[in-house]
């Protein structure tokens, strides 16, 4: 008999097909009354498949007494009560490093889009404004200062890409980086004062709730750019 898996939200088609081939899968998102379904069938579920941006609601976890593993397709665990999972001996897994390069690439794409005004310039061209007036010039990334909060896998990947663009890299992290030339700051306010572009590469959990406040934004300045770069929620 195949093991029972609960799928919280739609997954990539190929992934969903693989799971349905090897396990007996139930799609919670298709149930008109999720609470009633969980009350009737929750005791048979041993594993949950979810996404990093969705996680697993506390009431759903509580309705699954036989739950052994929560598999997250992504790296975000912000929407999962990890303490409750630990107390119950539930293993929580993520697809670490799978999206690191993609998220770092997107962070650079956002920086380039803002500095070169790609979205505004595209709208300018499509509206035919080029025939009436010249475009507003953008600016280059080279030589600018990027500050990165969090120098884990994603933060480090972003920093390496910025260094390749001849940007000056600063960071705020619990550990010192071995990369030569990268400047470490003691807190986010100091990092913001340094930065032309400030990148957040930290989990969106309670530790970082409202980490960017008015003082940080004032330190970044009216010409500064703030980018949130994460793989999960």
């Amino acid at each position: 008999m195949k093991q029972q898996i609960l799928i919280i939200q739609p997954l990539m088609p190929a992934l969903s097909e693989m799971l349905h081939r090897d396990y007996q899968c139930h799609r919670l998102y298709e149930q008109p009354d999720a609470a009633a379904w969980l009350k009737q069938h929750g005791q048979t579920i041993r594993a949950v498949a979810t996404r990093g941006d969705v996680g697993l609601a506390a009431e759903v976890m509580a309705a699954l007494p036989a739950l052994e593993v929560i598999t997250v397709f992504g790296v975000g665990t912000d929407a999962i009560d990890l303490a409750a999972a630990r107390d119950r001996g539930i293993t929580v897994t993520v697809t670490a490093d799978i999206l690191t390069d993609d998220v770092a690439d997107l962070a650079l794409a956002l920086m380039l889009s803002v500095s070169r005004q790609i979205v505004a310039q595209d709208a300018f061209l499509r509206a035919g404004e080029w025939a009436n007036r010249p475009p507003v010039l953008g600016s280059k990334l080279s030589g600018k200062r990027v500050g990165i909060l969090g120098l884990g896998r994603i933060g480090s990947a972003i920093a390496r890409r910025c260094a390749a663009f001849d940007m000056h890299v600063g960071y705020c992290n619990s550990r010192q980086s071995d990369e030569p030339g990268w400047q470490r700051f003691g807190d986010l306010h100091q990092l913001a004062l340094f930065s032309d572009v400030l990148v957040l590469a930290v989990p969106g959990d309670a530790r970082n709730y409202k980490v960017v406040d008015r003082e940080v934004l004032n330190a970044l300045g009216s010409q500064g750019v703030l980018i949130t770069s994460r793989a999960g929620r």
Side-chain angles (χ1 to χ4, degrees), residues 6 15 43 75 94 127 145 151 157 159-160 171 194 204 233:
L6 184 63
L15 180 58
Q43 68 277 2
V75 297
V94 298
R145 296 171 298 181
L151 211 61
R160 289 192 296 270
Y171 67 93
F194 160 85
R233 188 176 102 173

Side-chain angles (χ1 to χ4, degrees), residues 55-73:
L56 182 65
E59 61 269 20
V60 176
M61 188 191 301
L64 305 174
L67 186 61
E68 298 176 9
V69 61
I70 301 169
T71 300
V72 180
F73 293 94

Side-chain angles (χ1 to χ4, degrees), residues 169-207:
V169 176
Y171 67 93
C172 187
N173 195 57
S174 59
R175 290 180 294 179
Q176 178 82 34
S177 171
D178 294 330
E179 290 290 337
W182 293 7
Q183 186 174 353
R184 187 185 184 193
F185 291 86
D187 57 50
L188 182 56
H189 185 267
Q190 294 177 20
L191 184 66
L193 284 171
F194 160 85
S195 303
D196 297 308
V197 182
L198 180 60
V199 181
L200 307 182
V202 291
D205 54 20
R207 294 171 297 174

